[in-house]
Amino acid sequence: MKKSTKKIMFLAYAINEAQHLKANGHISMSNNHVCAYRRFEEYLKSIGMKDIPFKKMTPQLLNDFEDFLKRKGICRNTSGCYLRSLGSVWNKAVREGLANGSPFAVTYRGVDKTRKRAVNADVIRRLITFDIVAALTDNGNKS
């Protein structure tokens, strides 16, 4: 028998899911869910809502959420992470009969390739062997 989706609220379900993950040792996944939850909660507050029923989760709402994140300066990879987390919560609710459909199908949930910002191994080796005391002493002796 399918559960009624009328009174089930998405954010309440999402935070419960994050707590369940944490209790079962999935700390990182729980933290991702909580970050996504907080941003989505912030967006809902900006449009005058405290929570949202599953039935009102639409592709348009999620596109508006993406636009909200973009206006806040959130990069695409971060917004994709939020949407993957929220989509994961949604998919679990579908499996439990609390939701149906897939409003997340139209959202960006990928990962863009980004410029590498790490230094290479040679720089690390040079830093490890660098003698800062000698370098400072030599600078102090020069006239």
Side-chain angles (χ1 to χ4, degrees):
M1 184 171 155
K2 190 172 182 176
K3 297 178 185 177
S4 170
T5 59
K6 268 189 180 178
K7 299 199 181 196
I8 305 292
M9 304 299 275
F10 182 78
L11 286 178
Y13 182 83
I15 200 65
N16 185 57
E17 176 60 14
Q19 291 167 347
H20 176 74
L21 287 167
K22 187 175 184 178
N24 286 299
H26 301 283
I27 307 301
S28 181
M29 191 180 299
S30 172
N31 290 342
N32 286 343
H33 281 12
V34 169
C35 287
Y37 163 90
R38 286 184 181 148
R39 280 298 183 165
F40 193 59
E41 180 182 45
E42 179 185 354
Y43 165 68
L44 289 177
K45 283 181 182 177
S46 79
I47 60 170
M49 300 177 80
K50 289 182 182 179
D51 203 343
I52 187 165
F54 278 94
K55 283 191 169 194
K56 295 207 177 195
M57 292 283 286
T58 64
Q60 184 59 54
L61 178 89
L62 294 170
N63 282 331
D64 292 346
F65 175 52
E66 281 186 283
D67 291 342
F68 169 83
L69 294 172
K70 192 182 292 184
R71 285 191 308 275
K72 290 276 186 183
I74 304 300
C75 76
R76 222 166 101 112
N77 283 344
T78 303
S79 67
C81 180
Y82 294 156
L83 288 160
R84 282 191 303 279
S85 287
L86 296 175
S88 172
V89 170
W90 178 270
N91 291 338
K92 182 166 185 194
V94 167
R95 287 190 301 277
E96 293 180 358
L98 299 172
N100 54 48
S102 183
F104 289 87
V106 299
T107 62
Y108 176 78
R109 292 179 285 166
V111 179
D112 289 337
K113 201 168 182 108
T114 58
R115 179 181 63 83
K116 293 193 184 287
R117 294 179 293 273
V119 296
N120 65 35
D122 183 53
V123 172
I124 300 295
R125 278 190 287 277
R126 287 177 37 218
L127 286 170
I128 290 170
T129 60
F130 183 72
D131 187 352
I132 193 158
V133 174
L136 291 174
T137 304
D138 286 346
N139 281 340
N141 289 335
K142 292 183 180 179
S143 302

